[in-house]
Amino acid sequence: TPKYYNLRAIFYRKNTKQFELALQDYNKVIELEPKEASYYSNRAILEFFDLNYKEKAYEDYRKAIELAPEERNNYYYSEVL
């Protein structure tokens, strides 16, 4: 399920520092549930802070804003990049 992949990605990122595995899980969760904004913002955090994929992080924040315009954090982080 999408929640499983999301939680495992968070675990990989925070607990084991296995960033590529976390990215694979975020990619899978977005494939399974492409209209959930929080999955894009979670992947953006990984891309920006851990993988130095700044352009990809920006694209994910913009997608999160498109899906959930009421979520203010996505605006802030997309502008910080």
Side-chain angles (χ1 to χ4, degrees), residues 1-9 23-40 43 63 67:
T1 67
K3 287 184 181 183
Y4 168 78
Y5 286 106
N6 186 57
L7 290 173
R8 190 170 73 173
L23 182 60
Q24 289 174 19
D25 278 358
Y26 282 132
N27 292 340
K28 183 66 174 179
V29 77
I30 288 169
E31 175 187 319
L32 294 171
E33 202 168 319
K35 294 187 179 187
E36 176 54 51
S38 66
Y39 298 151
Y40 288 93
R43 185 171 70 179
K63 183 66 175 180
L67 294 170

Side-chain angles (χ1 to χ4, degrees), residues 9-51:
I10 292 168
F11 175 82
Y12 283 146
R13 179 177 179 261
K14 291 185 175 183
N15 294 16
T16 67
K17 308 296 185 211
Q18 293 178 313
F19 303 130
E20 290 299 328
L21 290 176
L23 182 60
Q24 289 174 19
D25 278 358
Y26 282 132
N27 292 340
K28 183 66 174 179
V29 77
I30 288 169
E31 175 187 319
L32 294 171
E33 202 168 319
K35 294 187 179 187
E36 176 54 51
S38 66
Y39 298 151
Y40 288 93
S41 58
N42 286 349
R43 185 171 70 179
I45 290 167
L46 171 73
E47 290 166 336
F48 183 78
F49 291 105
D50 302 313
L51 296 171

